[in-house]
Amino acid sequence: MPNTHSSHPASSCDTAIAIHDVIFTYPGSEEPVLNGASLELSRGSFTAIIGGNGCGKSTMCKLFNGLIPQFYTGDFAGEVHVLGVSATGQSVADLSRKIGYVYQDFDNQLVRPTVLDEACFAPLNYGLANYRELGERALTMCGLDSIHNRYIWELSGGQKHLLALAGALSMDPDILIVDEPVSQLDPQHARLIYECLYQLNTEHGKTIIVIEHHTEFIADFCADVVLMDKGRVLWNLPVQEGLNRIADLERLGIQPPEVTRAAIQAAPSLMRDQVTQPEQLNHQLFPITVEEAAVYFNKQHTAAISALLASQGRQPHTAESNAPSRSEQHANTASLPIVQFKDTRLRYRGLGKKEHEIIRGVNFSLREGERIALVGNNGAGKSSLLRLMAGISLPQEGSVSVLGETTHRSSLEQLAGRVAYIFQHSAEMFIEDSVRKEVSYFLRRRRIKGADEQIAHVLDRFRLTPLQERDARLLSGGQQRRVTLAIGAAMKPSLMLLDEPTANLDLATREELIGVLDELDQHVRTTVIATHDMQLVTQWASRVIVLHDGRVEADGTPSEVFADEPLLRRSGLALTQMMELSHRLGLSALCPTPETFVEKLLNHSFTKEEDIDAACTQLV
């Protein structure tokens, strides 16, 4: 793995970013989003900024290139220094030559028709004579030099993200900021982005700053981690130490890496002298990567596991439960499918009236009570399938039936009362000037009885009550996602369709989402989620449909899908940390969660000792 968990000591001569006592309040808000924030980052560092939605992560990063307070106006106080020089008096254009920025909605950064045009756009607009050379160099750094002449709309999501990165690099900035690098990417493209960032840091000396919710990527690639809460920086620590601040992370709803959680859960049972209190765990170093966890469990606990099994008189077993899954139970009892695709094909017309086939003759049915996850690489057709189910798109060939009616014969107005479609891009759902009005819109238009009570319940469930008078378009990306989920929950639909529901969400809100989905089971007959979040798939779904190139590549339970490694590779998927660890330790089945891993650990005798030489000294 790339990360060596080194940290770069900051000093006055090599500081990349320094902010002191910054306070900033957006117009119309009574509370400051930054409330005395102070931070110093050294040149050449690779730093992740973490914290709950709305804690001020993105706002703080917009200080660095002058967008705040020059573009986003508001009440501002404090000091900002970039590369040792005060940002005061420097324009956004001046700062942008030193700082590249890739935003959450990276698609909005792509403004030119071809890959090379886009990469050259920034230096060309600065009037640099060698603009083409700079653009080509940036494409090479991002691994896109072989597709110079491709049109933007022909690219996959991962390629677009890399192109936005190349556009930011074309000015050869000293500092690169990437907001939510992996939120809309399949697992393989997500790792590609981080590998590119790691290379830029180690081989080209760039200072890299990422805003990230996925601690597994932070563990593998970053050197330092900054924790924010309520507009303040709580600490800036080396990644090994930061991700082991268990009490701080859990208090703010941030989950440590899965292997870290597994080690913590296993510790009381495997080591009698192991600390168990949160405040004690705060000072205990546990593994944060799969490699470290393999060393930790193999070298540290093999004897303890054997002794524990012997003392309890338990025999190791590998048999798996043969009980039918929730989806199988409902499939056996439900008579008519909720959704049915028959030889369905969907095409879009592009330039020169050329047709591009997105869905290529799919056939499957969704039945009542199933929890379906649509997975696959970027561009596989997941969002298109959801639009077909919602009646937003109609197939050119074949048919789609929803709740007993073909979509060709049902109007959007008829389907809207029974099908809730939560868009991938949150802002596309906002039509009112306050969060409360957004959530209540459907209920008010349909004159639903008990609307006020339902609205209050939903606002409280999604922690939106304090934000109910704010314009949803001015909220953070994670807060906007919570608003869209609340809109769908308020409708109480028969069929719930969610496109990337966990994108931009902190882990606390992600867990709340799963709780809300459980709550919606009382009246939602079937839920379908298109997602790149493999942890969500293994934790929530009863059935997984894998799409690739517009076709159904596989259809089965999560355990069946994740056991097929060639399928995962060609479909842009990847094992979760826990699945990879259970595989490395020789467990008979891939464990989807830390809880299942620990349970199996206590029922498994390790007979194969792996010769691992790269043990981390702090874990031995």
Side-chain angles (χ1 to χ4, degrees), residues 16 27 89 135 194 200 219 301 315 401 442 452 493 497 534 600 607 619:
Y194 263 102
L200 291 169
H301 296 319
Q315 298 296 320
S401 298
F442 176 85
D452 290 340
L497 310 173
M534 297 300 102
K600 182 167 286 294
T607 58
L619 301 177

Side-chain angles (χ1 to χ4, degrees), residues 148-189:
H148 279 193
N149 298 319
R150 293 277 298 277
Y151 286 106
I152 301 297
W153 48 84
E154 295 178 313
L155 305 182
S156 69
Q159 289 173 322
K160 287 181 180 179
H161 208 159
L162 285 170
L163 180 55
L165 187 60
L169 287 169
S170 63
M171 294 298 297
D172 195 25
D174 295 287
I175 302 168
L176 182 64
I177 303 169
V178 188
D179 195 344
E180 298 282 2
V182 304
S183 64
Q184 299 181 41
L185 300 180
D186 63 63
Q188 289 180 17
H189 279 114

Side-chain angles (χ1 to χ4, degrees), residues 341-459:
F341 287 83
K342 290 185 177 180
D343 300 321
T344 306
R345 294 181 180 272
L346 178 67
R347 294 183 288 270
Y348 293 123
R349 196 178 298 275
L351 285 179
K353 298 184 178 181
K354 182 180 179 180
E355 287 192 336
H356 300 273
E357 193 164 41
I358 307 300
I359 301 299
R360 305 169 182 267
V362 300
N363 290 277
F364 63 86
S365 299
L366 309 181
R367 297 189 176 274
E368 184 169 349
E370 290 185 313
R371 296 176 167 189
I372 299 102
L374 298 178
V375 301
N377 55 348
N378 291 105
K382 301 184 297 296
S383 296
S384 295
L385 272 186
L386 291 185
R387 287 194 290 269
L388 285 167
M389 294 183 215
I392 297 172
S393 298
L394 298 176
Q396 282 81 16
E397 296 182 28
S399 65
V400 179
S401 298
V402 178
L403 298 168
E405 296 287 339
T406 60
T407 55
H408 276 105
R409 299 174 183 172
S410 302
S411 67
L412 279 175
E413 179 72 14
Q414 292 172 317
L415 286 174
R418 307 170 70 190
V419 179
Y421 177 33
I422 308 304
F423 294 176
Q424 181 174 356
H425 301 292
S426 301
E428 295 177 0
M429 296 187 67
F430 301 147
I431 57 178
E432 296 283 4
D433 60 4
S434 76
V435 170
R436 185 178 183 85
K437 290 180 181 178
E438 300 285 5
V439 175
S440 65
Y441 181 82
F442 176 85
L443 302 181
R444 288 188 288 108
R445 292 294 299 267
R446 296 292 178 109
R447 297 181 180 180
I448 304 296
K449 291 183 179 180
D452 290 340
E453 291 79 5
Q454 176 67 6
I455 294 165
H457 172 74
V458 169
L459 290 172

Side-chain angles (χ1 to χ4, degrees), residues 39 41 45-51 57 60-61 176 178 181 194 208-228 233 235-239 242-243:
L39 176 68
L41 300 177
S45 59
F46 194 149
T47 303
I49 300 176
I50 63 176
K57 302 184 298 293
M60 184 174 70
C61 286
L176 182 64
V178 188
Y194 263 102
I208 307 295
I209 302 169
V210 296
I211 300 171
E212 186 58 89
H213 291 303
H214 297 81
T215 52
E216 286 82 3
F217 283 105
I218 296 173
D220 280 342
F221 292 97
C222 298
D224 308 286
V225 58
V226 171
L227 179 66
M228 292 191 68
V233 174
W235 42 251
N236 177 14
L237 296 170
V239 66
L243 294 184

Side-chain angles (χ1 to χ4, degrees), residues 391-602:
I392 297 172
S393 298
L394 298 176
Q396 282 81 16
E397 296 182 28
S399 65
V400 179
S401 298
V402 178
L403 298 168
E405 296 287 339
T406 60
T407 55
H408 276 105
R409 299 174 183 172
S410 302
S411 67
L412 279 175
E413 179 72 14
Q414 292 172 317
L415 286 174
R418 307 170 70 190
V419 179
Y421 177 33
I422 308 304
F423 294 176
Q424 181 174 356
H425 301 292
S426 301
E428 295 177 0
M429 296 187 67
F430 301 147
I431 57 178
E432 296 283 4
D433 60 4
S434 76
V435 170
R436 185 178 183 85
K437 290 180 181 178
E438 300 285 5
V439 175
S440 65
Y441 181 82
F442 176 85
L443 302 181
R444 288 188 288 108
R445 292 294 299 267
R446 296 292 178 109
R447 297 181 180 180
I448 304 296
K449 291 183 179 180
D452 290 340
E453 291 79 5
Q454 176 67 6
I455 294 165
H457 172 74
V458 169
L459 290 172
D460 178 68
R461 192 70 176 83
F462 286 92
R463 294 186 288 119
L464 293 171
T465 303
L467 304 173
Q468 61 182 313
E469 301 305 326
R470 296 273 303 277
D471 190 323
R473 288 168 286 249
L474 300 179
L475 300 179
S476 71
Q479 289 170 330
Q480 288 185 353
R481 175 62 62 184
R482 280 156 50 195
V483 174
T484 63
L485 293 173
I487 292 171
M491 295 170 61
K492 292 188 175 181
S494 297
L495 175 63
M496 177 75 89
L497 310 173
L498 301 101
D499 199 348
E500 291 294 349
T502 59
N504 309 123
L505 289 184
D506 59 47
L507 273 298
T509 308
R510 179 181 171 277
E511 291 300 313
E512 286 182 5
L513 166 65
I514 295 175
V516 170
L517 292 175
D518 290 338
E519 182 180 299
L520 290 176
D521 277 348
Q522 300 174 19
H523 50 81
V524 174
R525 296 168 65 184
T526 303
T527 303
V528 184
I529 293 179
T531 185
H532 294 307
D533 186 342
M534 297 300 102
Q535 291 182 17
L536 175 64
V537 172
T538 57
Q539 187 175 354
W540 172 82
S542 62
R543 177 182 175 188
V544 182
I545 297 175
V546 183
L547 297 176
H548 180 62
D549 196 26
R551 297 184 176 90
V552 174
E553 195 80 358
D555 186 348
T557 65
S559 59
E560 292 169 345
V561 168
F562 285 104
D564 190 340
E565 292 190 20
L567 169 68
L568 300 180
R569 284 194 296 270
R570 67 178 180 268
S571 302
L573 307 179
L575 297 177
T576 65
Q577 267 197 339
M578 292 316 307
M579 289 181 172
E580 188 176 347
L581 177 61
S582 60
H583 176 75
R584 285 172 181 257
L585 294 180
L587 297 181
S588 60
L590 301 181
C591 299
T593 66
E595 292 76 16
T596 56
F597 172 80
V598 171
E599 181 182 357
K600 182 167 286 294
L601 194 64
L602 298 178

Side-chain angles (χ1 to χ4, degrees), residues 18-268:
I19 66 172
H20 300 288
D21 299 321
V22 172
I23 300 174
F24 182 73
T25 306
Y26 284 108
S29 175
E30 296 180 359
E31 297 293 328
V33 67
L34 295 177
N35 191 14
S38 297
L39 176 68
E40 289 192 10
L41 300 177
S42 61
R43 296 194 192 203
S45 59
F46 194 149
T47 303
I49 300 176
I50 63 176
N53 293 130
C55 71
K57 302 184 298 293
S58 297
T59 299
M60 184 174 70
C61 286
K62 289 183 175 68
L63 294 170
F64 305 158
N65 64 354
L67 286 177
I68 293 176
Q70 297 183 46
F71 183 77
Y72 295 95
T73 59
D75 295 331
F76 172 82
E79 298 180 10
V80 180
H81 289 78
V82 177
L83 299 171
V85 179
S86 174
T88 303
Q90 298 191 64
S91 67
V92 174
D94 292 334
L95 291 169
S96 294
R97 298 190 68 162
K98 307 170 186 176
I99 300 177
Y101 206 128
V102 182
Y103 299 90
Q104 283 185 21
D105 298 325
F106 55 86
D107 266 333
N108 293 333
Q109 290 182 248
L110 307 179
V111 296
R112 301 294 296 156
T114 70
V115 169
L116 183 58
D117 286 340
E118 181 61 40
C120 296
F121 183 74
L124 176 63
N125 276 272
Y126 276 95
L128 302 182
N130 62 335
Y131 68 89
R132 186 181 179 92
E133 177 185 342
L134 290 170
E136 290 177 339
R137 178 176 179 270
L139 290 176
T140 299
M141 293 170 72
C142 294
L144 299 176
D145 46 309
S146 63
I147 57 171
H148 279 193
N149 298 319
R150 293 277 298 277
Y151 286 106
I152 301 297
W153 48 84
E154 295 178 313
L155 305 182
S156 69
Q159 289 173 322
K160 287 181 180 179
H161 208 159
L162 285 170
L163 180 55
L165 187 60
L169 287 169
S170 63
M171 294 298 297
D172 195 25
D174 295 287
I175 302 168
L176 182 64
I177 303 169
V178 188
D179 195 344
E180 298 282 2
V182 304
S183 64
Q184 299 181 41
L185 300 180
D186 63 63
Q188 289 180 17
H189 279 114
R191 181 155 289 272
L192 181 63
I193 289 287
Y194 263 102
E195 288 173 350
C196 181
L197 292 174
Y198 183 80
Q199 185 178 26
L200 291 169
N201 175 248
T202 56
E203 297 183 14
H204 299 276
K206 304 296 182 185
T207 300
I208 307 295
I209 302 169
V210 296
I211 300 171
E212 186 58 89
H213 291 303
H214 297 81
T215 52
E216 286 82 3
F217 283 105
I218 296 173
D220 280 342
F221 292 97
C222 298
D224 308 286
V225 58
V226 171
L227 179 66
M228 292 191 68
D229 181 36
K230 298 178 181 178
R232 300 178 65 90
V233 174
L234 299 187
W235 42 251
N236 177 14
L237 296 170
V239 66
Q240 183 80 50
E241 183 179 350
L243 294 184
N244 268 278
R245 288 288 186 99
I246 307 304
D248 287 345
L249 299 181
E250 290 186 348
R251 177 172 58 84
L252 298 178
I254 300 168
Q255 289 184 354
E258 282 192 319
V259 294
T260 310
R261 290 156 50 201
I264 292 170
Q265 291 176 30

